[in-house]
Amino acid sequence: MTGQVAAVSRNGTYSFSKPTRDSVTLLTGLGVEGDVHAGETIRHQFRMTYEPDLPNLRQVHLMHEELFAELRAKGFAVSAGELGENITTRGVDLLGLSTGALLHLGEQAVLEVTGLRNPCSKINDFRSGLLGEVFTMDPVTGGFTFKSGVMAVVRRGGTVRPGDSVQVEPPPFPHRPLERV
């Protein structure tokens, strides 16, 4: 599977949205340089209060640009960085990846997918009713469908820019489905 980086974003302070940038630098084992979520241990504001020593499996948040078109069709205006993602992709089925898939971004950077982003109620503060569009319950299985992107850790650092290629390398078998992290 081959895709493209549509946008990159980072924010040095806690805020729901992240401004888009011309480029971001990924740091091995840490995340996006200058981003509030970079670090070896968890940086999620709420989870740090009760699990501060957990490894940071949420160093980089990726979201598929195709979700924005789906949301626009339902009346929600959303663009890159506004839902807090660091890297917005185009043409990659992020939600269909397996845990441990490697994403080769541009010429250097490599991310390892760790799981699904668990959307929180702050999404409704951003746009009322939006949570119901990115976090739905399957009426057949009773399970949840998470559509708000995936989380990853940086295995090899490098600079990432809009227009860079995204190459997917599946993990070895057996593949494990994505779970929320």
Side-chain angles (χ1 to χ4, degrees):
M1 183 184 321
T2 302
Q4 188 176 50
V5 174
V8 294
S9 308
R10 69 171 166 77
N11 198 342
T13 61
Y14 285 105
S15 117
F16 186 74
S17 297
K18 296 183 181 197
T20 58
R21 310 290 180 162
D22 293 333
S23 67
V24 293
T25 300
L26 301 179
L27 303 174
T28 303
L30 295 174
V32 178
E33 182 177 46
D35 191 79
V36 70
H37 290 102
E40 292 179 0
T41 57
I42 194 136
R43 294 288 179 248
H44 184 272
Q45 200 169 17
F46 174 71
R47 292 179 72 184
M48 282 180 4
T49 61
Y50 66 95
E51 299 174 306
D53 297 325
L54 280 181
N56 189 2
L57 301 179
R58 303 166 56 95
Q59 294 174 357
V60 181
H61 176 201
L62 298 99
M63 189 172 290
H64 51 297
E65 183 181 62
E66 293 81 0
L67 176 62
F68 303 150
E70 179 185 325
L71 295 173
R72 270 192 297 282
K74 295 179 179 183
F76 295 97
V78 179
S79 59
E82 289 187 326
L83 295 180
E85 77 277 10
N86 299 111
I87 298 175
T88 308
T89 64
R90 177 183 305 131
V92 178
D93 180 12
L94 294 175
L95 304 179
L97 297 174
S98 298
T99 301
L102 298 178
L103 302 176
H104 298 263
L105 306 173
E107 295 180 15
Q108 298 172 328
V110 178
L111 300 177
E112 180 181 338
V113 176
T114 56
L116 294 166
R117 177 191 183 196
N118 185 17
C120 71
S121 62
K122 289 183 179 183
I123 291 177
N124 276 340
D125 295 339
F126 174 70
R127 298 276 191 279
S128 181
L130 186 56
L131 181 61
E133 299 302 328
V134 296
F135 178 77
T136 58
M137 187 171 198
D138 185 318
V140 177
T141 66
F144 292 105
T145 300
F146 299 95
K147 298 191 282 185
S148 56
V150 299
M151 306 307 288
V153 294
V154 182
R155 291 296 178 221
R156 186 170 63 222
T159 301
V160 179
R161 295 175 180 82
D164 282 351
S165 66
V166 178
Q167 301 283 331
V168 176
E169 180 183 340
F173 285 104
H175 292 175
R176 295 179 295 132
L178 295 175
E179 296 179 6
R180 55 191 174 126
V181 294

